[in-house]
Amino acid sequence: MWKALLLHMCHLSLVGLFSVIHATCDLQPITGDDATFCGDDLHVVYSDIGDVSCTHIPLCQNLTRDLIKKWGAPVVTYSNAQKDMIYLLMMVDPDAPSRENPSFKYWRHWLLADIQGQDLLSGKSLKGRVITDYKGPSPPASTGYHRYEFHLYLQPPGSFPSLSPSEEESRGKFDPQSFSTRFSLGIPVASTLFMVQNPQQKDL
């Protein structure tokens, strides 16, 4: 009797513990002014955690560390993609090296051209012409949360977006507006972002 009761109490304690861990590891929606940047039709999905669009990724169970050091490029989907159109995807950090002093904005993390509209609808890894290889989020320690923005553009038929010699020299100080103008991309058809900070914080 006592043994069964003790086992039951231990089970309840473990359930409670895992519930707390799960709760603290849940992705939290971005609110405030940053949330106005998020659309509901562009989704960024990492297989290890799910859809991170318009969320904060918590410092929990090594999620942030793995995102920075281990995970490859996410699957990106756009529910309003036109099957017969071509798209360009851009991932940038406007907070490099910090939001208070973004002297290297927009740090270019990924630039992929010639994406088939059908691929954006499929939920599979994107294929296209790589202009800049994917590099995961890399916020410096103790610089707080960084925004990682995703911009999707319609790519004009016959265009061949590419980097200038100065842009090829560094990922930093990239100018999305100048790049868009140069190749007649116009404004993004969809945008979203997620936020993450380096787990090595001074106050941890």
Side-chain angles (χ1 to χ4, degrees):
M1 174 71 178
W2 286 108
K3 184 180 290 187
L5 181 60
L6 182 60
L7 288 172
H8 180 66
M9 292 175 65
C10 288
H11 173 74
L12 290 177
S13 297
L14 288 173
V15 169
L17 175 61
F18 287 127
S19 296
V20 169
I21 291 174
H22 183 269
T24 58
C25 289
D26 283 347
L27 301 178
Q28 299 298 315
I30 292 172
T31 58
D33 291 342
D34 290 326
T36 61
F37 186 86
C38 303
D40 57 4
D41 48 7
L42 187 64
H43 298 275
V44 178
V45 180
Y46 289 93
S47 60
D48 303 76
I49 193 172
D51 189 356
V52 298
S53 305
C54 206
T55 67
H56 294 92
I57 297 179
L59 295 171
C60 181
Q61 292 188 359
N62 297 323
L63 290 181
T64 303
R65 184 200 65 187
D66 290 348
L67 172 63
I68 294 171
K69 295 185 177 181
K70 292 184 178 181
W71 298 349
V75 170
V76 177
T77 64
Y78 176 46
S79 59
N80 291 322
Q82 302 176 54
K83 294 180 180 180
D84 299 327
M85 300 302 287
I86 303 298
Y87 295 83
L88 178 142
L89 179 68
M90 179 188 302
M91 175 186 176
V92 292
D93 175 4
D95 302 322
S98 70
R99 194 160 184 170
E100 292 73 24
N101 179 33
S103 55
F104 287 97
K105 73 173 185 182
Y106 291 79
W107 192 274
R108 192 174 66 253
H109 282 263
W110 197 16
L111 196 54
L112 187 64
D114 301 342
I115 301 168
Q116 299 288 332
Q118 179 61 48
D119 290 346
L120 287 163
L121 293 168
S122 70
K124 299 179 180 179
S125 296
L126 293 183
K127 298 177 182 177
R129 179 171 55 86
V130 177
I131 302 175
T132 299
D133 289 328
Y134 174 80
K135 178 176 173 56
S138 51
S142 301
T143 59
Y145 274 100
H146 284 228
R147 294 165 290 175
Y148 291 90
E149 299 178 351
F150 289 76
H151 303 275
L152 186 69
Y153 299 85
L154 267 174
Q155 187 177 319
S159 66
F160 191 82
S162 58
L163 299 177
S164 67
S166 61
E167 289 169 337
E168 288 181 342
E169 290 179 1
S170 172
R171 291 178 182 246
K173 297 185 178 181
F174 182 65
D175 186 341
Q177 182 60 53
S178 175
F179 183 86
S180 172
T181 300
R182 200 159 76 235
F183 297 103
S184 303
L185 299 175
I187 62 174
V189 295
S191 296
T192 192
L193 81 160
F194 67 84
M195 298 175 68
V196 67
Q197 62 178 316
N198 194 303
Q200 298 178 3
Q201 300 290 317
K202 290 179 180 179
D203 56 347
L204 294 181

